[in-house]
Amino acid sequence: MDILTRRRFLIASGVTGAGALAAGAGAYGLSDLLATAGDRDPQARTLVLVTLYGGNDGLNTVVPYADPAYHDARPELAYSAEEVKRLDEQVGLNPALAGLHRLFGDGRLAIVRGVGYPTPDRSHFRSMDIWQTARPDRPEQTGWLGRWLDGVGGDPRLAVSFEPTLPPLLAGAASAGAAVPVTERKARRPVGDPVLARLAVPEPGEPAGQARAAACFADLRAVDAMITEVRDAAATAEEADPGGDEQPPATATGGARSSLAAQLDLVAQCVEAGVSSRVFSVSLGGFDTHADEKQLQAVLLGQVDKALTGFVDRMADTEAGRKVVIAVYSEFGRRVRANASDGTDHGTASDVFLLGAGVRGGLHGEPPSLTDLDDGDLRFTTDFRDVYATLLERVLDTDPGKVLAGWEGRLTGVLT
């Protein structure tokens, strides 16, 4: 999701607490985080939250291959028992998740089944708003981790997003997390560098080849100048008319423009350096698979698999890394029945993955029924606030009731 679209997502969701928009891209750099190295309690845990924007199909991620209702509902999309990475005699992982299958076997992947919320909403905007604010009952101006940040002093570097702008979940009432773009490269202006300018000027009497090289370099600088002018003009137009009709409508199906692996590499650097940050937010988009889902989702899940397994293995090598817990979620799952375009439409409940050395691996919670449906959708069996409360209590050492409006539910037996 680009900066413009994410800004509109923030506005449309109503989550703008603590000047979240102003705390967006460029407010902090990696050097600001590394400057806090050594400032944290060595016993403190770290939470890494991975958002899969677009609504990942949970039924083709954790596949109920032994359930006839699964094959009946989506005969062209269903995976067979021979294709999946089996977890037990009933379910298996998508074939693209070989690395996560290994982590499951090692006891480092916990899969929480049927996670959702009451009165589900199939809108990307509203459902992501609910997940990021943790308030399914009414609109909320702050994110759940933003409220945690308010309670621990408000230093933006305690809660970091490696994305172009701040996600709603890190916006508090009195503070906001830090948005640190993965790519901090700034475009060079086409003037003001005498050395480069001279390279584009042919010298009298020089060989023809050098003269052609100078002319080519001059053309390159001219193109660079044109692109820069267009970029600046577009930025000026956006500032003057942020709601212009010419731009595409905002959705929650984006995610960071940089790869998930690149984002997690920066998280790893920060963890290994011992920075003060307790929370990191990263993301991957593209999971809105209304058509030709099987191949597209496999590609996306392959990216998730490679990034997560590499990160988890790297974290296992250090004491600080072994205190990292990763949580992976999407705003909703997909409908049980496939549509006419070899895809699936917006659904409800899905699975949450928890990874790390402090996780008790295995399948947790009750899998939702594929025959007892709510208007074609899965009925959730685990409230997502149970997941959040457990992460707040066991990872961030915080009273969940102060963040989640007195919520008392917890996951049991998932975190050590």
Side-chain angles (χ1 to χ4, degrees):
M1 184 183 298
D2 59 26
I3 294 175
L4 168 63
T5 304
R6 181 62 61 82
R7 185 181 296 120
R8 287 188 178 170
F9 174 36
L10 284 162
I11 294 171
S13 70
V15 184
T16 55
L21 301 181
Y28 289 87
L30 183 61
S31 59
D32 296 304
L33 305 183
L34 295 177
T36 69
D39 290 351
R40 65 178 291 158
D41 178 355
Q43 300 305 313
R45 282 181 161 181
T46 301
L47 173 63
V48 178
L49 197 64
V50 181
T51 303
L52 305 180
Y53 283 101
N56 179 45
D57 183 3
L59 289 177
N60 268 19
T61 302
V62 181
V63 183
Y65 68 87
D67 191 336
Y70 165 70
H71 296 276
D72 291 343
R74 43 174 70 186
E76 300 300 322
L77 292 182
Y79 286 100
S80 67
E82 292 73 31
E83 293 176 293
V84 301
K85 304 292 184 182
R86 292 196 185 195
L87 302 178
D88 62 16
E89 295 305 311
Q90 298 296 319
V91 298
L93 288 178
N94 186 286
L97 299 177
L100 292 182
H101 183 255
R102 171 176 59 82
L103 294 180
F104 185 90
D106 294 342
R108 292 187 286 170
L109 168 61
I111 301 174
V112 185
R113 312 301 312 279
V115 183
Y117 56 85
T119 317
D121 194 302
R122 298 194 192 105
S123 161
H124 287 296
F125 277 124
R126 181 60 186 140
S127 191
M128 185 54 71
D129 179 46
I130 288 171
W131 273 90
Q132 297 210 9
T133 64
R135 290 303 301 260
D137 52 336
R138 63 172 177 79
E140 172 59 58
Q141 295 295 308
T142 59
W144 69 282
L145 287 171
R147 297 194 294 275
W148 165 80
L149 184 63
D150 284 342
V152 294
D155 185 339
R157 294 171 297 181
L158 290 175
V160 177
S161 170
F162 285 118
E163 303 178 77
T165 57
L166 198 72
L169 66 97
L170 298 186
S175 56
V180 181
V182 172
T183 302
E184 298 184 74
R185 177 183 177 274
K186 294 180 173 59
R188 179 185 295 276
R189 301 293 296 181
V191 295
D193 191 334
V195 175
L196 287 179
R198 287 185 61 186
L199 291 175
V201 179
E203 296 289 338
E206 69 180 346
Q210 290 182 209
R212 285 196 299 271
C216 290
F217 193 77
D219 290 342
L220 178 62
R221 287 175 58 78
V223 171
D224 179 62
M226 179 185 68
I227 292 173
T228 302
E229 289 172 5
V230 171
R231 183 189 299 116
D232 291 348
T236 301
E238 160 56 17
E239 290 176 1
D241 183 19
D245 295 334
E246 297 179 4
Q247 299 296 338
T251 72
T253 61
R257 290 173 292 177
S258 54
S259 74
L260 181 60
Q263 297 169 69
L264 289 173
D265 177 69
L266 289 184
V267 175
Q269 292 182 48
C270 290
V271 171
E272 291 162 355
V275 303
S276 63
S277 307
R278 296 288 306 279
V279 172
F280 293 94
S281 173
V282 298
S283 66
L284 179 67
F287 288 89
D288 198 18
T289 51
H290 289 280
D292 301 321
E293 174 187 308
K294 201 168 186 179
Q295 181 177 0
L296 173 58
Q297 191 199 26
V299 170
L300 292 169
L301 290 179
Q303 296 175 22
V304 172
D305 185 75
K306 182 177 180 180
L308 286 177
T309 54
F311 180 72
V312 171
D313 288 341
R314 180 173 174 177
M315 290 297 92
D317 290 338
T318 64
E319 185 63 28
R322 288 188 285 274
K323 298 185 183 303
V324 171
V325 173
I326 305 107
V328 186
Y329 77 101
S330 193
E331 67 260 38
F332 43 58
R334 315 296 291 188
R335 302 278 280 181
V336 174
R337 186 164 296 279
N339 60 30
S341 301
D342 291 329
T344 51
D345 298 325
H346 302 172
T348 55
S350 191
D351 301 304
V352 169
F353 287 6
L354 300 176
L355 302 99
V359 168
R360 288 193 175 99
L363 298 168
H364 298 265
E366 179 184 352
S369 170
L370 271 64
T371 54
D372 179 18
L373 303 177
D374 179 11
D375 189 26
D377 280 322
L378 298 174
R379 300 179 186 274
F380 81 97
T381 57
T382 302
D383 195 294
F384 76 122
R385 288 166 291 186
D386 290 357
V387 179
Y388 287 175
T390 303
L391 294 173
L392 287 164
E393 186 174 79
R394 305 300 300 275
V395 180
L396 298 179
D397 307 309
T398 295
D399 177 4
K402 295 180 179 180
V403 175
L404 302 177
W407 188 257
E408 297 182 351
R410 304 287 190 276
L411 300 177
T412 58
V414 179
L415 297 179
T416 59

